[in-house]
Amino acid sequence: MDSNALKAFITIVDQGSFSEAAEQLHLSQPAISKRLAALENQLGETLIDRSQRQIRLTDSGSRLLPHARKILDEIHNARIALSPDSGLLEGELHIIASHHIGLHHLPKWLRRFKREYPQITINLQFMESDAAYEQMRKRNAELAFVTLSDSMPASFHVFAQWPDPMAFVVGTDHPLAAIKAPKLADLAQHPALLPDTSTSTYRVVSRLFLEANLPLNPQMPTNYLETLKMMTSVGLGWSVLPLRMADESLKVLEGVLAKGTEAGNSVTRVLGGIGLTGRQPGNAAKALLRIVQEEEGNQSKS
């Protein structure tokens, strides 16, 4: 099978339209339609139902899709295997980062990366972790730096990871700030400023309150941690934020959790760099991963 025809088929499916797929591949719409038709003629099967306005895979198309992705991944891996291990790195590296990682981790990585590998162009997208997983499935980036999910499917491989300790926090003028060692029961009497219910942070906090048989009163959910920090600092409620975000505008609530947990640092998420299982990172991606592992390893030791 022609790899260009397979690429056209996959891109049509991922983009959801012939016109957007053509734009993605820098082709005319007739050209991409011709590639799909050639693939269908070769296989003797219709892969995409064109009778509806919305793109829909036929049964044959659904069966072919995972194999098509694997074939293109193996072609990618072959190119990586044939590329030199050393020498001048150049080209373009597509990566994704969550907004929090982009603000608090990415700058030091990229400053060092651009200094050591000036010939590589970084193509960077910012998005929430859930959206990043979906973009990685579509092969729209080589690496994604996200909050690792406890339910992450086996199709993703973790290349680097590091803990991100979190703490219960309030604004310095909030009533909870005056309590020496507040408990979950004290927090339950006040609004909670938390990310969306789909996030790992919300699930961890929600589980704590559920196990303690206490009500959780979430207000104005947002996945932008800087926004949560601002709302917390002005006294709109309590929150759980990465410990590195705590500053003079916030008070860390020590000893919130039950005995047997480490005060203030008991809620921890894990951040990391992921790729697709079975799809090898290129030399530029490996170089960035090395920097990430070194920088975050040094940070955890300091």
Side-chain angles (χ1 to χ4, degrees):
M1 281 177 274
D2 177 40
S3 62
N4 288 327
L6 289 173
K7 180 66 174 175
F9 165 63
I10 291 171
T11 308
I12 291 167
V13 174
D14 288 344
Q15 296 298 317
S17 80
F18 281 80
S19 59
E20 291 184 21
E23 183 177 351
Q24 178 87 4
L25 296 178
H26 307 290
L27 296 169
S28 66
Q29 190 166 332
I32 203 166
S33 297
K34 185 176 180 181
R35 289 187 181 184
L36 177 63
L39 181 61
E40 290 176 324
N41 289 336
Q42 182 182 16
L43 297 174
E45 299 283 352
T46 300
L47 303 175
I48 292 178
D49 183 359
R50 298 164 175 77
S51 64
Q52 306 292 329
R53 294 185 63 183
Q54 187 176 2
I55 292 294
R56 290 186 180 180
L57 283 169
T58 64
D59 289 341
S60 296
S62 295
R63 291 196 299 271
L64 175 64
L65 185 59
H67 296 287
R69 293 197 194 278
K70 288 180 182 179
I71 291 168
L72 293 186
D73 285 347
E74 284 303 320
I75 292 173
H76 166 85
N77 292 343
R79 292 194 180 107
I80 297 299
L82 293 172
S83 63
D85 293 330
S86 59
L88 181 65
L89 294 184
E90 55 186 4
E92 191 172 18
L93 175 60
H94 292 257
I95 62 174
I96 295 171
S98 69
H99 296 281
H100 174 74
I101 291 176
L103 283 173
H104 297 279
H105 297 267
L106 198 63
K108 63 183 177 183
W109 305 343
L110 293 189
R111 275 195 294 269
R112 180 175 164 187
F113 186 83
K114 292 305 293 182
R115 183 173 66 248
E116 296 180 15
Y117 305 103
Q119 301 302 317
I120 298 175
T121 300
I122 295 286
N123 187 308
L124 173 62
Q125 301 177 70
F126 292 103
M127 62 187 68
E128 294 179 10
S129 294
D130 287 346
Y133 283 111
E134 182 59 28
Q135 290 302 307
M136 289 295 291
R137 287 190 190 95
K138 295 179 179 180
R139 280 65 171 172
N140 287 338
E142 196 162 356
L143 296 172
F145 297 96
V146 295
T147 301
L148 299 183
S149 169
D150 49 9
S151 59
M152 186 171 62
S155 56
F156 292 102
H157 179 78
V158 178
F159 290 108
Q161 64 179 30
W162 61 95
D164 192 31
M166 305 185 81
F168 289 87
V169 295
V170 292
T172 54
D173 295 330
H174 193 279
L176 287 169
I179 302 177
K180 184 176 180 180
K183 303 302 180 186
L184 285 179
D186 298 311
L187 272 65
Q189 301 176 38
H190 298 273
L193 302 171
L194 297 170
D196 187 78
T197 56
S198 64
T199 62
S200 59
T201 299
Y202 182 89
R203 289 196 297 270
V204 169
V205 175
S206 177
R207 190 182 309 122
L208 289 172
F209 277 77
L210 185 63
E211 291 173 351
N213 197 27
L214 290 169
L216 180 62
N217 184 22
Q219 303 286 316
M220 299 175 285
T222 174
N223 290 347
Y224 293 98
L225 298 188
E226 293 292 337
T227 302
L228 288 176
K229 177 183 176 181
M230 180 276 294
M231 293 192 296
T232 303
S233 68
V234 299
L236 297 182
W238 59 268
S239 188
V240 176
L241 294 173
L243 200 55
R244 65 165 53 229
M245 294 181 68
D247 57 21
E248 67 279 356
S249 70
L250 299 173
K251 177 177 174 57
V252 174
L253 300 178
E254 304 287 356
V256 169
L257 299 184
K259 61 182 179 180
T261 59
E262 183 183 350
N265 295 344
S266 304
V267 180
T268 298
R269 63 180 185 172
V270 179
L271 308 180
I274 63 168
L276 285 163
T277 302
R279 186 178 175 89
Q280 297 297 317
N283 289 337
K286 289 177 183 176
L288 178 58
L289 286 169
R290 176 182 57 80
I291 289 173
V292 171
Q293 290 164 342
E294 291 175 0
E295 291 292 334
E296 296 307 324
N298 293 337
Q299 181 68 32
S300 63
K301 294 174 185 176
S302 61

